[in-house]
Amino acid sequence: MDLIVRNVRLAHRPGEAPVDIGVTDGQVVAIEADLVAEAETYDAGGRLACGGLIETHIHLDKSRIIGRTPPEAGRKISPMKQVAALKSSFTVEDVRTRAERTLTECILHGATRMRTQVEVDPAVGLRGFEGVQSLVADYRWAIDIEICVFPQDGLTNHPGTEELLVEALKRGARVIGGAPRYDTDHAGQIRRIFKLAREFDVDIDVHLDVGDTPEEMDIHLVCELTEQYRRGGRVAVGHMAKLSTMPPNEVAALARRLADIGIAVTVLPLTDLFVMGRDQDHNVRRGVADANFLTEHGVNCSLSTNNVLNPVTPYGDCSLIRMANLHANVLQIAQPAQLREIFAMLTERAARLLNLTDYGIAVGNPADIVVIDAGSPEQAVAEIRQPLAVFKRGRRTVKREPAELVRPV
């Protein structure tokens, strides 16, 4: 063996005794107590381990631009217009530099896999795509990245955007997305996205149903087309903030339909807290879909970062565990089993959303291992406990020493 990670509590086996993980040639080859072999050793001291945290929805290309577009004053804001006004000034080098800083923070906080959204349109061309794509091979030693290209500012109302989407798909984008809210023809955009997904045999990940009322929801057409094109298991929708404006019985009925069809949901607490309820000056709605409620009704859900340090979300440290804690706070979740479910939305459930077949600490899988300074998934979420060690394919990529008091002598 090349590596033994000793004395870990496996996140997917809560309550079981600690075990050792043996690694050879970047793969997990043994999981058992008291492994005997000559190998490099890391002693986790009984701490929690999982197969790496997963960012299912993040915008590397437009992160860290808050210095160029200061936050707007007052309740009414137009952050997407601020971003759109900047895009013509983006260069490949600029995008790469900003994206790399954000990517580094994600890695330091335990992410070993990622789906990043990247905008294409006539204003930015493929510069954002090229800047992010240049990081994929350079950082494969620490994280696996797939790119979802999408038309943030519209598709049917922006001639030339579809050609850019097609070119990005030809250059290796593995997912296509959409943002029908910003298109004059919501249905037209959604239908075209599904046709392109079939043509290029890629998954779909759409920004959907952000708004202050449940009227005119696009999810119903997405359900219809997922069935028509037989894309169940290959469609995800992000945000779904309108669910927070609906009575539980209506959410439950829609959730059961999503589950039956095979549509996953990514909830993005930080952004939706910032942008929702802007029409109110008191008793402001939270605007965050309840991922736990959805999973209880059969929907696969993940939690993710979305934007970092830009007008849509002017803060963020790329900690998925902090995002999980935020979701628990906003939705008033405290039961241990529910907190474990939230942790799974960063790990096993996120892997299922991305259709990963080699995720998790299991014999034969890549040795992607994150050791977290906690004894259980629920403690990690409740106390925002951070990763101490990260291994990618059996090689250590992150080192963080646990903090301790030093009493003066």
Side-chain angles (χ1 to χ4, degrees):
M1 293 183 188
D2 305 318
L3 170 70
I4 299 176
V5 181
R6 294 198 181 278
N7 199 16
V8 298
R9 296 184 183 275
L10 299 178
H12 63 289
R13 299 182 191 172
E16 293 189 10
V19 295
D20 299 340
I21 305 170
V23 177
T24 300
D25 294 332
Q27 284 191 323
V28 176
V29 295
I31 304 172
E32 58 189 74
D34 302 319
L35 278 175
V36 178
E38 290 293 327
E40 176 188 349
T41 298
Y42 175 84
D43 190 344
R47 293 182 176 89
L48 186 69
C50 62
L53 305 182
I54 302 175
E55 283 281 7
T56 57
H57 187 123
I58 189 170
H59 294 258
L60 294 180
D61 59 327
K62 59 183 181 185
S63 66
R64 301 179 185 275
I65 56 173
I66 194 63
R68 306 176 196 181
T69 54
E72 298 172 84
R75 299 291 300 157
K76 299 292 185 179
I77 60 173
S78 301
M80 296 312 304
K81 291 182 179 180
Q82 287 185 286
V83 177
L86 282 178
K87 286 195 286 188
S88 62
S89 67
F90 288 178
T91 66
V92 174
E93 294 75 16
D94 168 49
V95 171
R96 179 187 166 99
T97 298
R98 291 183 289 98
E100 187 170 23
R101 290 179 61 195
T102 300
L103 181 63
T104 298
E105 290 300 315
C106 292
I107 294 167
L108 288 172
H109 283 98
T112 61
R113 312 226 189 178
M114 171 183 287
R115 172 181 289 175
T116 180
Q117 306 275 336
V118 174
E119 299 178 20
V120 296
D121 56 50
V124 73
L126 291 173
R127 297 188 299 278
F129 173 76
E130 291 168 354
V132 173
Q133 191 180 46
S134 71
L135 297 170
V136 174
D138 287 355
Y139 278 84
R140 191 173 181 274
W141 57 272
I143 191 167
D144 296 315
I145 305 169
E146 70 174 18
I147 295 176
C148 173
V149 289
F150 80 107
Q152 174 68 78
D153 297 323
L155 175 58
T156 68
N157 53 333
H158 274 282
T161 299
E162 182 170 333
E163 290 78 3
L164 292 166
L165 285 171
V166 168
E167 181 61 24
L169 290 167
K170 288 179 178 178
R171 293 193 192 184
R174 295 169 53 191
V175 187
I176 188 168
R181 179 188 182 199
Y182 298 99
D183 203 308
T184 52
D185 183 358
H186 292 208
Q189 179 181 130
I190 294 169
R191 292 183 187 281
R192 191 59 193 140
I193 293 303
F194 270 82
K195 288 179 181 178
L196 286 170
R198 180 177 61 180
E199 181 180 345
F200 287 91
D201 191 25
V202 294
D203 289 356
I204 296 169
D205 196 334
V206 185
H207 299 66
L208 213 65
D209 289 335
V210 176
D212 296 321
T213 70
E215 279 75 41
E216 300 180 346
M217 292 180 69
D218 290 317
I219 187 61
H220 303 297
L221 178 58
V222 170
C223 288
E224 175 188 321
L225 294 175
T226 301
E227 290 183 302
Q228 177 184 330
Y229 284 90
R230 299 181 180 180
R231 307 298 286 187
R234 300 189 67 181
V235 177
V237 291
H239 293 286
M240 292 302 297
K242 287 188 176 185
L243 293 178
S244 70
T245 69
M246 298 166 59
N249 63 314
E250 294 180 15
V251 178
L254 180 54
R256 287 191 291 270
R257 188 177 184 206
L258 296 177
D260 289 343
I261 295 171
I263 296 175
V265 175
T266 296
V267 176
L268 305 162
L270 196 61
T271 296
D272 289 337
L273 273 174
F274 185 73
V275 301
M276 287 285 288
R278 293 282 174 168
D279 59 322
Q280 300 169 291
D281 61 10
H282 67 284
N283 197 23
V284 178
R285 72 178 64 84
R286 300 182 181 201
V288 179
D290 189 337
N292 283 80
F293 186 86
L294 294 174
T295 59
E296 288 167 9
H297 289 82
V299 182
N300 185 38
C301 290
S302 69
L303 298 172
S304 202
T305 294
N306 198 41
N307 285 294
V308 179
L309 298 172
N310 75 15
V312 186
T313 318
Y315 28 64
D317 64 357
C318 304
S319 168
L320 281 171
I321 295 176
R322 190 184 307 282
M323 202 64 62
N325 178 276
L326 177 62
H327 183 268
N329 270 282
V330 171
L331 277 304
Q332 301 172 331
I333 292 165
Q335 295 298 317
Q338 293 177 307
L339 294 176
R340 286 195 294 272
E341 192 66 74
I342 289 175
F343 188 85
M345 296 176 199
L346 314 179
T347 53
E348 290 97 341
R349 285 189 172 278
R352 195 189 317 166
L353 186 147
L354 296 188
N355 287 312
L356 302 177
T357 59
D358 60 353
Y359 175 82
I361 299 175
V363 173
N365 279 354
D368 295 356
I369 303 165
V370 175
V371 177
I372 298 170
D373 192 15
S376 66
E378 54 267 36
Q379 183 190 11
V381 173
E383 301 180 21
I384 316 180
R385 309 297 290 181
Q386 294 302 318
L388 297 181
V390 181
F391 300 86
K392 184 64 177 174
R393 288 181 282 274
R395 295 189 176 186
R396 191 165 184 181
T397 56
V398 174
K399 178 180 180 180
R400 180 184 283 111
E401 297 298 333
E404 61 182 56
L405 294 176
V406 180
R407 185 183 296 274
V409 178

